[in-house]
Every structure is written in C-alpha cells, then in structure tokens.
Amino acid sequence: MAVEKKNGYEIRAERTRKKILGASREVFLEKSYRDTTITLIAEKAGVGYGTVYSHFKNGKDEVLMNIMEDIMEDFYQVASGEYTPNTKEEALQFTTKNITDFLELAITHKEWLALFYEAFGHSEIILNRWEEITERFIERISKNVELVKARGDSRNPNYDSRIVAGSLYYPGEKFLWKIALGKTTQDHKEIARNIAEIYNYGLYK
C-alpha cells in the first residue's frame, strides 16, 4: 500500500502549528491561563494573529486542549498497561505501582496540572475536555474490573464495573490535584499504597 506523501503546504502548515504550540507552552507557563492571549502567543511564535486562529479556531482554549492531551498521554501510558495479575497479591502490586507512577507524573507535570486546574474555573470547554479524559481512564479501569469478575475472583460478581473503577480513579485524581496545587505533604508512595489496598481488598474476595 502506497504511503501518501505530504505536499509542501501541508509540511509548512504542520511546522507552523508546532511552532505555535511550542510558543504557547512558554507563554502559558509564564503568564498563567487567564493572562495568556492569542496576541502574546502570536508574538512569541513569530506569526500573525490570524495565523494562530487559522490553526486553532477556538483560540487559546483549543491550544491548551492540545497541550493537555499531550501531557496526559504520559498518564494514559500508565493506565493502558495490560492487566496481567493472577492472584490478589499480584493485583495489589500491579495497582500500587500504577498509582505510584500516576502520582509521580503529577509531580513531574505539576506546573501544567496547576495551570489546567486554573483553566477549569474560566473555560467550560477545558473543563469538559477534562471530563472526557476522566471518562477514558474510567473505561480503561472498568475493563480490568470486568476481567476480575470474569475469572470469578471478585468479592461480588454483580459489582458495577464503572462504580468500582471510580473507587480507584477518583481518589487518585483527588491526590493528583493536591500534589499539583501543593496542598499535601504526604508521601506519594504512601498515598498510592493506601488507595491500592482499599481498592484491591474491596474488589477481590
């Protein structure tokens, strides 16, 4: 099957888009969400005001959503690992490691998460995108719960997989924000261990 080659215009457009996103990262972290403007982004990128809108029709919200998806891809990689535990003990180790990795990424991306949190209070579009991201995590964890139920290892075969998935995700998300906003001094590994034990011993018989 032949690979379709990009023409000169498409290559230039892609380069401009990347330049805008790169400049936007600098401006957002320097100015905050509220004080970032398309004018500042355009100046930093060295492009025209209209050029930014030609690539991101919803302005800075669309720019930030692109950055958010890029940042959250690291978190998705943690959540997308194949669920392979054969015993309750192995499941506890697996889940503890996943939550630990998740919270370590919260430390790594602390500045960006704090900026996203700020944006939630100003932009319904950004908040809705976070809800979509949350849904993606819930769906992934739900599949793991279904595997446990299918093997006959769950404490209750009638558990609602999405509710059980939420009992793991939402405490992790709560501490993600606490870490990002500097509102906890608790060790992230201890947080992960507690969440994993409560989830695991509630799910497995």
Side-chain angles (χ1 to χ4, degrees):
M1 183 176 177
V3 177
E4 184 178 344
K5 293 184 178 180
K6 294 181 180 179
N7 60 39
Y9 173 80
E10 290 172 326
I11 292 172
R12 288 193 300 274
E14 189 173 295
R15 286 175 180 167
T16 301
R17 181 182 175 84
K18 288 180 178 178
K19 184 191 293 186
I20 293 168
L21 285 172
S24 299
R25 283 174 175 262
E26 294 183 45
V27 175
F28 273 122
L29 290 181
E30 181 184 344
K31 297 292 185 181
S32 79
Y33 171 82
R34 188 186 63 180
D35 294 336
T36 291
T37 64
I38 293 299
T39 298
L40 288 172
I41 291 172
E43 289 175 353
K44 178 68 73 171
V47 300
Y49 182 89
T51 300
V52 178
Y53 274 105
S54 71
H55 288 273
F56 302 96
K57 299 189 184 308
N58 287 320
K60 72 176 184 180
D61 282 353
E62 187 173 345
V63 173
L64 187 59
M65 284 191 291
N66 275 266
I67 295 172
M68 181 186 288
E69 287 291 345
D70 187 45
I71 296 293
M72 293 309 297
E73 189 58 39
D74 288 347
F75 292 83
Y76 292 145
Q77 290 302 315
V78 171
S80 63
E82 185 179 0
Y83 192 71
T84 57
N86 293 312
T87 66
K88 180 163 66 175
E89 291 71 28
E90 288 180 1
L92 178 59
Q93 292 176 1
F94 179 95
T95 304
T96 301
K97 183 180 185 308
N98 267 22
I99 303 172
T100 300
D101 291 346
F102 185 85
L103 295 180
E104 284 178 352
L105 284 171
I107 296 170
T108 299
H109 296 300
K110 186 175 180 178
E111 282 186 291
W112 278 112
L113 290 168
L115 192 140
F116 299 156
Y117 193 86
E118 178 206 353
F120 296 161
H122 298 278
S123 170
E124 187 174 349
I125 293 174
I126 299 296
L127 183 58
N128 288 341
R129 178 56 60 91
W130 183 260
E131 292 298 325
E132 292 171 4
I133 288 171
T134 292
E135 179 64 21
R136 184 171 171 181
F137 281 111
I138 294 294
E139 282 296 319
R140 183 65 189 89
I141 299 169
S142 295
K143 292 178 180 178
N144 294 345
V145 177
E146 286 296 324
L147 286 174
V148 176
K149 289 168 62 178
R151 292 199 301 251
D153 292 334
S154 65
R155 185 180 297 276
N156 183 342
N158 296 317
Y159 276 148
D160 184 303
S161 295
R162 289 182 57 82
I163 294 175
V164 175
S167 75
L168 175 61
Y169 173 76
Y170 289 114
E173 182 197 33
K174 180 70 173 179
F175 279 101
L176 173 143
W177 295 124
K178 281 182 172 291
I179 289 171
L181 301 174
K183 292 187 176 181
T184 182
T185 58
Q186 293 173 292
D187 181 73
H188 70 282
K189 292 181 180 179
E190 184 67 11
I191 294 170
R193 185 183 66 79
N194 278 264
I195 294 174
E197 286 187 2
I198 292 170
Y199 167 79
N200 204 68
Y201 293 140
L203 174 58
Y204 280 82
K205 61 185 177 183

